Amino acid sequence: MAAAAAAAGGVPSQQCFLLSVTGQVESARLAGADQLYCRYQLHGGPDWDIVTGLEEGISQVSRPSQDARQLLVWNLPVEVSYKATNPYGWPQLIVSCYGPDLFGNDVIRGLPLFVPESTSQLQKLVSWFTGRRPELADASSLATGDGRDVMRVRSQGYVTCSFQVVTKDLQRLGYDNGRRAPAGAAGGDLQPAGGGDGRPG
Amino acid sequence: MVRGKDSSSAEVHFIGQIVSGSGFSDSQLFCRWSIQTGGAWHHVEGLKEGQTHADCPQLGQAAIWCHPVDVHYTIKGITGWPKLVVQVYSLDGFGRFDICGYGFCNLPSSPGAHSIDCVIWRPTGSLRDEFRQQFVGGGPQLRDPQLVYTSLDRYRIQTTAMGTVHVQISVILRNFARYGIEY
C-alpha cells in the first residue's frame, strides 16, 4: 500500500505528521488606536500543507474599551490543520492591524507589534498627506527573518493571541517535543494538549 | 509540496524567536545573532545567523524584535551543543550604529518550549574613554568576538552590565532514543 502511494507520486501517510491549531486573536493594546481591524496570516515552510481551515482571515472593526484598559477586542477564531514531513518551517502567525487615518483611507497601523517606519524624514511627511504609509509589500516576508535588517520600526503595543495545539504521529516518526501521548489509548478519549505553542503576537 | 524525509539520523530542531531586549538605556536597538555549534553538528536548513530590525519603542522600555529562528541540524555526537550568540547595537539619529553589548546563552537540550534570558555586557575603557563615549560615542569593542562564547582568557577586560535579551525557543529532538542519547 505504501509502495503504491509512493509510485503514484504521493507521500505515504506513514511519513507525515498532523498538526491541528485552534485558537483566537484575542485583543490588542496599541498606542493611539481608534478603530482597528486585524488580519491574520499563517505562513508555513515548504514541507507543510494545509489540510483544513483558512490561512488568512479578517476580523471586524473594533473600538477601544471606555475603561482604563483601552483594550481592542477582536476574538477572531483561528482554526487550521496542517500535514507535514518536517518540523522545519513550523507555521508562523502574522497579525496586521489596519485602521482609517484622518482622510478615511485604510492604512496599516501595526504588524506583529510594530509599524514599519520610513528611513527618511521626507518620506514620512509625504506619506501622511497622501494617506499611504510605508507598508511591507508582502507581510509574509516577515516570517522568514531574512532582510529585516534594513527595516526601522516603532513598536506600538501588543496583540494577545491564545492557541491550543494538538499533534498526531509526531512521536511515531521519532520526534520528541516534550509532550507524551496518553498511554494505552484503547478506546480511551484523547486529551488535547493545552497551552499555546503559537507565537503570541 | 510535502516531501518524504530520510528518518535514520539523530536530528534537532530549534524553532522560536528573539523576542525583545529590555533594560538598555539607548532607544533604537537592533540585535545581530548567530548560532555556534561544535564539529559534530551538521546544519541542514534554516538561517543560523541574522540581524533583527531596529526598534524604537513607544509603549514601555523594551525594544521588540520578534525575530523568527528556525534551524534544523543533524548530529553525529553530543559535544558542541549550540549556543546563541547575540550582539546588541544602538542606532542614533544620524544613522550611525554603536555596539551596546555582547552576550551568549546555551540553547536548551530538553524538548519543549523554553524562555531564556540572555544577559548582555559591554566592555569598558578608562575614565577618559567613558567620558568620550558619553559625548561622542564609539566605545571599546571586542577585537575577537569569539571571546563571547569560548573559554579564551578574559581576565584582561573590564565590563559593565547592560540589559537583557529575551528569547523563546522550542526544541524538537528526533531519534535520540535510537542512538542512546539521554536528556
Side-chain angles (χ1 to χ4, degrees), chain B residues 93-109:
Chain B
F94 303 107
R96 305 176 303 178
F97 58 88
D98 204 6
I99 185 79
C100 220
Y102 304 89
F104 91 95
C105 56
N106 290 302
L107 290 180
S109 55

Side-chain angles (χ1 to χ4, degrees), chain B residues 21-35:
Chain B
S22 64
F24 294 92
S25 48
D26 309 287
S27 60
Q28 282 213 48
L29 297 170
F30 65 91
C31 168
R32 263 201 184 138
W33 61 275
S34 65
I35 298 186

Side-chain angles (χ1 to χ4, degrees), chain A residues 55-172:
Chain A
E55 246 178 345
E56 279 192 25
I58 298 192
S59 75
Q60 76 280 14
V61 178
S62 168
R63 310 190 75 136
S65 59
Q66 299 298 314
D67 51 21
R69 291 176 309 167
Q70 294 284 295
L71 205 60
L72 278 153
V73 170
W74 289 304
N75 204 208
L76 176 66
V78 175
E79 250 184 274
V80 183
S81 290
Y82 282 94
K83 183 173 73 162
T85 55
N86 189 1
Y88 174 71
W90 194 280
Q92 300 179 12
L93 178 75
I94 302 171
V95 178
S96 338
C97 303
Y98 295 85
D101 64 0
L102 274 185
F103 303 102
N105 300 318
D106 269 356
V107 293
I108 194 157
R109 284 304 191 88
L111 281 173
L113 306 181
F114 52 82
V115 174
E117 191 174 70
S118 54
T119 49
S120 76
Q121 294 285 17
L122 179 62
Q123 194 175 348
K124 250 196 261 192
L125 199 57
V126 169
S127 67
W128 186 84
F129 281 121
T130 61
R132 287 160 166 267
R133 297 243 178 88
E135 182 170 334
L136 284 186
D138 178 14
S140 63
S141 66
L142 282 176
T144 56
D146 217 356
R148 280 192 179 197
D149 45 349
V150 296
M151 283 171 39
R152 273 190 233 179
V153 303
R154 218 171 350 138
S155 55
Q156 293 212 317
Y158 299 90
V159 175
T160 306
C161 310
S162 60
F163 292 99
Q164 283 171 313
V165 174
V166 180
T167 56
K168 178 177 183 291
D169 291 339
L170 199 59
Q171 288 183 18
R172 201 166 49 77

